Amino acid sequence: MTLAERIENSKTSIFKAVFPNTTNHYDTLFGGTAMHLMDEVAFITATRFSRQIMVTVSSDRIDFKKPIPAGTIIELIGKVNHVGNTSLKVNVEIYIEQMYAEGRELAVHGDFTFVAIDENKKPVQVIK
């Protein structure tokens, strides 16, 4: 399988409803909850790409462009955007959709770096 095919096959998309128990006093999604969901999608994407043990080693700039209100649907999309020797980067975007109207808009995006490790927690090549 080519690198481009691996990247395409590992693209991950997850939908969630934003309920009041995940929002702050402004009735918008907690930033920490958004980051948690983004890291989860990034982990799934990295694992689907490598089929190895992957651990998060950093999150790069995460930009919150729009607040995510309660009562909306969000889609998180993860895609590998860089492959190194033992690490890879995954870009994650969160889109907002109204439940009862068409359209969507980008709310948050950021990059997460993962390292492939062996059973002794030592870095190994991402692509064998």
Side-chain angles (χ1 to χ4, degrees), residues 62-77:
I62 297 175
D63 292 318
F64 294 84
K65 299 294 191 182
K66 299 213 176 262
I68 301 172
T72 56
I73 297 167
I74 56 173
E75 180 182 16
L76 296 101
I77 301 171

Side-chain angles (χ1 to χ4, degrees), residues 34-47:
M35 292 166 58
H36 166 90
L37 293 169
M38 292 174 78
D39 187 37
E40 183 178 338
V41 168
F43 166 76
I44 293 168
T45 304
T47 302

